[in-house]
Amino acid sequence: MKVAVFDEATNSHPWTQFAHQGDVGIRGYGASAGEAFENAARAMTSVVTPIGLLSAKETTRIRCQAPNLEILFVDWLNALIYEMATRQMLFRDFHVDINGDVLRAEVHGERVDVGHHEPAVELKGATMTELKVGRGKDGRWIAQCVVDV
């Protein structure tokens, strides 16, 4: 599998967000693609509520399969958004394992309590806009895209 290399500024944080018109860009960094996916999920959750407000009370398992890492990343985020919407949950802990074209994850979170979590937005979906998965100049993995809110 060919891995793209991006000319990103060195960033010591495991995740960031960036503005994109009316939506929000999310970016996760990691020593592996799986860790970058985990940190991007944290960035996405933080769009809704501060991640520190969440507890890891319930566990959900997610499996995705896609022909390449970029599509797998978007599928992963959209699977999380689906689980958030259908289970009425927010997740804070993410454990991702990528083996070839298959992603298996265990995520931990809790049911939404509007009074406590004060959700800022509803996530509609991860998009292909600004989609990148690969290694940065510093060797760390980067996974990013824009999330429709």
PDB file of all heavy atoms in Angstrom, residues 37 62-69 72 96-105:
ATOM      1  N   PHE A  37      -6.547   7.695  13.710  1.00  0.00           N
ATOM      2  CA  PHE A  37      -8.000   7.552  13.616  1.00  0.00           C
ATOM      3  C   PHE A  37      -8.641   7.781  14.989  1.00  0.00           C
ATOM      4  O   PHE A  37      -9.676   8.432  15.099  1.00  0.00           O
ATOM      5  CB  PHE A  37      -8.380   6.161  13.106  1.00  0.00           C
ATOM      6  CG  PHE A  37      -8.236   5.951  11.615  1.00  0.00           C
ATOM      7  CD1 PHE A  37      -7.261   6.596  10.863  1.00  0.00           C
ATOM      8  CD2 PHE A  37      -9.063   5.059  10.967  1.00  0.00           C
ATOM      9  CE1 PHE A  37      -7.136   6.378   9.494  1.00  0.00           C
ATOM     10  CE2 PHE A  37      -8.955   4.835   9.595  1.00  0.00           C
ATOM     11  CZ  PHE A  37      -7.989   5.495   8.859  1.00  0.00           C
ATOM     12  N   ILE A  62     -17.266  -1.552  16.713  1.00  0.00           N
ATOM     13  CA  ILE A  62     -17.489  -1.087  15.347  1.00  0.00           C
ATOM     14  C   ILE A  62     -16.539  -1.825  14.422  1.00  0.00           C
ATOM     15  O   ILE A  62     -15.371  -2.042  14.761  1.00  0.00           O
ATOM     16  CB  ILE A  62     -17.265   0.440  15.248  1.00  0.00           C
ATOM     17  CG1 ILE A  62     -18.304   1.177  16.097  1.00  0.00           C
ATOM     18  CG2 ILE A  62     -17.294   0.916  13.797  1.00  0.00           C
ATOM     19  CD1 ILE A  62     -18.080   2.667  16.205  1.00  0.00           C
ATOM     20  N   ARG A  63     -17.045  -2.192  13.249  1.00  0.00           N
ATOM     21  CA  ARG A  63     -16.215  -2.828  12.221  1.00  0.00           C
ATOM     22  C   ARG A  63     -16.504  -2.142  10.897  1.00  0.00           C
ATOM     23  O   ARG A  63     -17.663  -1.920  10.547  1.00  0.00           O
ATOM     24  CB  ARG A  63     -16.545  -4.317  12.103  1.00  0.00           C
ATOM     25  CG  ARG A  63     -15.682  -5.044  11.064  1.00  0.00           C
ATOM     26  CD  ARG A  63     -16.158  -6.484  10.858  1.00  0.00           C
ATOM     27  NE  ARG A  63     -15.313  -7.202   9.934  1.00  0.00           N
ATOM     28  CZ  ARG A  63     -15.368  -7.102   8.609  1.00  0.00           C
ATOM     29  NH1 ARG A  63     -16.228  -6.284   8.039  1.00  0.00           N
ATOM     30  NH2 ARG A  63     -14.559  -7.811   7.849  1.00  0.00           N
ATOM     31  N   CYS A  64     -15.444  -1.787  10.180  1.00  0.00           N
ATOM     32  CA  CYS A  64     -15.572  -1.181   8.855  1.00  0.00           C
ATOM     33  C   CYS A  64     -14.592  -1.861   7.919  1.00  0.00           C
ATOM     34  O   CYS A  64     -13.549  -2.360   8.349  1.00  0.00           O
ATOM     35  CB  CYS A  64     -15.203   0.310   8.888  1.00  0.00           C
ATOM     36  SG  CYS A  64     -16.101   1.306  10.062  1.00  0.00           S
ATOM     37  N   GLN A  65     -14.915  -1.841   6.648  1.00  0.00           N
ATOM     38  CA  GLN A  65     -14.016  -2.374   5.636  1.00  0.00           C
ATOM     39  C   GLN A  65     -14.094  -1.456   4.423  1.00  0.00           C
ATOM     40  O   GLN A  65     -15.182  -1.041   4.027  1.00  0.00           O
ATOM     41  CB  GLN A  65     -14.419  -3.797   5.246  1.00  0.00           C
ATOM     42  CG  GLN A  65     -13.434  -4.455   4.311  1.00  0.00           C
ATOM     43  CD  GLN A  65     -13.714  -5.950   4.169  1.00  0.00           C
ATOM     44  OE1 GLN A  65     -14.645  -6.492   4.730  1.00  0.00           O
ATOM     45  NE2 GLN A  65     -12.866  -6.608   3.396  1.00  0.00           N
ATOM     46  N   ALA A  66     -12.922  -1.115   3.858  1.00  0.00           N
ATOM     47  CA  ALA A  66     -12.878  -0.216   2.707  1.00  0.00           C
ATOM     48  C   ALA A  66     -11.633  -0.503   1.879  1.00  0.00           C
ATOM     49  O   ALA A  66     -10.673  -1.099   2.383  1.00  0.00           O
ATOM     50  CB  ALA A  66     -12.884   1.233   3.186  1.00  0.00           C
ATOM     51  N   PRO A  67     -11.627  -0.074   0.619  1.00  0.00           N
ATOM     52  CA  PRO A  67     -10.518  -0.401  -0.278  1.00  0.00           C
ATOM     53  C   PRO A  67      -9.216   0.351  -0.005  1.00  0.00           C
ATOM     54  O   PRO A  67      -8.169  -0.048  -0.493  1.00  0.00           O
ATOM     55  CB  PRO A  67     -11.065  -0.042  -1.665  1.00  0.00           C
ATOM     56  CG  PRO A  67     -12.117   0.982  -1.406  1.00  0.00           C
ATOM     57  CD  PRO A  67     -12.712   0.617  -0.081  1.00  0.00           C
ATOM     58  N   ASN A  68      -9.274   1.456   0.768  1.00  0.00           N
ATOM     59  CA  ASN A  68      -8.046   2.191   1.097  1.00  0.00           C
ATOM     60  C   ASN A  68      -8.230   2.934   2.412  1.00  0.00           C
ATOM     61  O   ASN A  68      -9.346   3.023   2.935  1.00  0.00           O
ATOM     62  CB  ASN A  68      -7.640   3.137  -0.047  1.00  0.00           C
ATOM     63  CG  ASN A  68      -8.672   4.202  -0.318  1.00  0.00           C
ATOM     64  OD1 ASN A  68      -9.083   4.948   0.570  1.00  0.00           O
ATOM     65  ND2 ASN A  68      -9.120   4.280  -1.572  1.00  0.00           N
ATOM     66  N   LEU A  69      -7.136   3.459   2.948  1.00  0.00           N
ATOM     67  CA  LEU A  69      -7.177   4.105   4.265  1.00  0.00           C
ATOM     68  C   LEU A  69      -8.046   5.355   4.290  1.00  0.00           C
ATOM     69  O   LEU A  69      -8.681   5.646   5.302  1.00  0.00           O
ATOM     70  CB  LEU A  69      -5.765   4.443   4.738  1.00  0.00           C
ATOM     71  CG  LEU A  69      -4.959   3.290   5.300  1.00  0.00           C
ATOM     72  CD1 LEU A  69      -3.536   3.743   5.621  1.00  0.00           C
ATOM     73  CD2 LEU A  69      -5.615   2.702   6.543  1.00  0.00           C
ATOM     74  N   LEU A  72     -11.592   4.217   4.420  1.00  0.00           N
ATOM     75  CA  LEU A  72     -11.764   3.579   5.729  1.00  0.00           C
ATOM     76  C   LEU A  72     -11.922   4.629   6.823  1.00  0.00           C
ATOM     77  O   LEU A  72     -12.744   4.480   7.725  1.00  0.00           O
ATOM     78  CB  LEU A  72     -10.576   2.664   6.022  1.00  0.00           C
ATOM     79  CG  LEU A  72     -10.709   1.733   7.223  1.00  0.00           C
ATOM     80  CD1 LEU A  72     -11.877   0.768   7.045  1.00  0.00           C
ATOM     81  CD2 LEU A  72      -9.409   0.955   7.428  1.00  0.00           C
ATOM     82  N   VAL A  96      -8.634   1.483  18.233  1.00  0.00           N
ATOM     83  CA  VAL A  96      -8.767   1.110  16.829  1.00  0.00           C
ATOM     84  C   VAL A  96      -7.649   0.161  16.424  1.00  0.00           C
ATOM     85  O   VAL A  96      -6.477   0.417  16.714  1.00  0.00           O
ATOM     86  CB  VAL A  96      -8.729   2.367  15.924  1.00  0.00           C
ATOM     87  CG1 VAL A  96      -8.668   1.980  14.459  1.00  0.00           C
ATOM     88  CG2 VAL A  96      -9.933   3.257  16.205  1.00  0.00           C
ATOM     89  N   ASP A  97      -8.025  -0.906  15.744  1.00  0.00           N
ATOM     90  CA  ASP A  97      -7.066  -1.839  15.154  1.00  0.00           C
ATOM     91  C   ASP A  97      -7.363  -1.916  13.661  1.00  0.00           C
ATOM     92  O   ASP A  97      -8.493  -2.210  13.266  1.00  0.00           O
ATOM     93  CB  ASP A  97      -7.198  -3.225  15.799  1.00  0.00           C
ATOM     94  CG  ASP A  97      -6.253  -4.230  15.172  1.00  0.00           C
ATOM     95  OD1 ASP A  97      -5.038  -3.954  15.125  1.00  0.00           O
ATOM     96  OD2 ASP A  97      -6.733  -5.277  14.702  1.00  0.00           O
ATOM     97  N   ILE A  98      -6.345  -1.621  12.854  1.00  0.00           N
ATOM     98  CA  ILE A  98      -6.494  -1.700  11.401  1.00  0.00           C
ATOM     99  C   ILE A  98      -5.613  -2.835  10.905  1.00  0.00           C
ATOM    100  O   ILE A  98      -4.409  -2.855  11.162  1.00  0.00           O
ATOM    101  CB  ILE A  98      -6.097  -0.373  10.721  1.00  0.00           C
ATOM    102  CG1 ILE A  98      -6.996   0.762  11.213  1.00  0.00           C
ATOM    103  CG2 ILE A  98      -6.176  -0.520   9.200  1.00  0.00           C
ATOM    104  CD1 ILE A  98      -6.564   2.140  10.761  1.00  0.00           C
ATOM    105  N   ASN A  99      -6.243  -3.776  10.221  1.00  0.00           N
ATOM    106  CA  ASN A  99      -5.527  -4.914   9.647  1.00  0.00           C
ATOM    107  C   ASN A  99      -5.909  -5.002   8.179  1.00  0.00           C
ATOM    108  O   ASN A  99      -7.023  -5.428   7.848  1.00  0.00           O
ATOM    109  CB  ASN A  99      -5.883  -6.193  10.401  1.00  0.00           C
ATOM    110  CG  ASN A  99      -5.025  -7.357   9.987  1.00  0.00           C
ATOM    111  OD1 ASN A  99      -4.163  -7.240   9.124  1.00  0.00           O
ATOM    112  ND2 ASN A  99      -5.264  -8.500  10.602  1.00  0.00           N
ATOM    113  N   GLY A 100      -5.009  -4.548   7.313  1.00  0.00           N
ATOM    114  CA  GLY A 100      -5.319  -4.521   5.889  1.00  0.00           C
ATOM    115  C   GLY A 100      -6.412  -3.523   5.612  1.00  0.00           C
ATOM    116  O   GLY A 100      -6.293  -2.348   5.952  1.00  0.00           O
ATOM    117  N   ASP A 101      -7.522  -3.998   5.032  1.00  0.00           N
ATOM    118  CA  ASP A 101      -8.626  -3.094   4.699  1.00  0.00           C
ATOM    119  C   ASP A 101      -9.764  -3.147   5.721  1.00  0.00           C
ATOM    120  O   ASP A 101     -10.854  -2.639   5.476  1.00  0.00           O
ATOM    121  CB  ASP A 101      -9.154  -3.400   3.294  1.00  0.00           C
ATOM    122  CG  ASP A 101      -9.726  -4.809   3.167  1.00  0.00           C
ATOM    123  OD1 ASP A 101      -9.585  -5.616   4.107  1.00  0.00           O
ATOM    124  OD2 ASP A 101     -10.321  -5.105   2.109  1.00  0.00           O
ATOM    125  N   VAL A 102      -9.498  -3.753   6.891  1.00  0.00           N
ATOM    126  CA  VAL A 102     -10.529  -3.905   7.920  1.00  0.00           C
ATOM    127  C   VAL A 102     -10.141  -3.125   9.182  1.00  0.00           C
ATOM    128  O   VAL A 102      -9.017  -3.224   9.664  1.00  0.00           O
ATOM    129  CB  VAL A 102     -10.742  -5.393   8.280  1.00  0.00           C
ATOM    130  CG1 VAL A 102     -11.748  -5.547   9.408  1.00  0.00           C
ATOM    131  CG2 VAL A 102     -11.192  -6.173   7.054  1.00  0.00           C
ATOM    132  N   LEU A 103     -11.093  -2.373   9.685  1.00  0.00           N
ATOM    133  CA  LEU A 103     -10.941  -1.649  10.948  1.00  0.00           C
ATOM    134  C   LEU A 103     -11.872  -2.283  11.966  1.00  0.00           C
ATOM    135  O   LEU A 103     -13.055  -2.492  11.679  1.00  0.00           O
ATOM    136  CB  LEU A 103     -11.302  -0.176  10.748  1.00  0.00           C
ATOM    137  CG  LEU A 103     -11.289   0.726  11.977  1.00  0.00           C
ATOM    138  CD1 LEU A 103     -10.937   2.150  11.563  1.00  0.00           C
ATOM    139  CD2 LEU A 103     -12.603   0.723  12.732  1.00  0.00           C
ATOM    140  N   ARG A 104     -11.316  -2.582  13.116  1.00  0.00           N
ATOM    141  CA  ARG A 104     -12.121  -3.049  14.249  1.00  0.00           C
ATOM    142  C   ARG A 104     -11.852  -2.099  15.397  1.00  0.00           C
ATOM    143  O   ARG A 104     -10.686  -1.764  15.666  1.00  0.00           O
ATOM    144  CB  ARG A 104     -11.754  -4.475  14.638  1.00  0.00           C
ATOM    145  CG  ARG A 104     -12.247  -5.509  13.654  1.00  0.00           C
ATOM    146  CD  ARG A 104     -11.934  -6.932  14.123  1.00  0.00           C
ATOM    147  NE  ARG A 104     -12.474  -7.915  13.226  1.00  0.00           N
ATOM    148  CZ  ARG A 104     -11.919  -8.283  12.076  1.00  0.00           C
ATOM    149  NH1 ARG A 104     -10.782  -7.762  11.687  1.00  0.00           N
ATOM    150  NH2 ARG A 104     -12.492  -9.205  11.314  1.00  0.00           N
ATOM    151  N   ALA A 105     -12.914  -1.663  16.056  1.00  0.00           N
ATOM    152  CA  ALA A 105     -12.749  -0.703  17.138  1.00  0.00           C
ATOM    153  C   ALA A 105     -13.667  -1.032  18.300  1.00  0.00           C
ATOM    154  O   ALA A 105     -14.734  -1.604  18.126  1.00  0.00           O
ATOM    155  CB  ALA A 105     -13.041   0.702  16.638  1.00  0.00           C
TER     156      ALA A 105
END
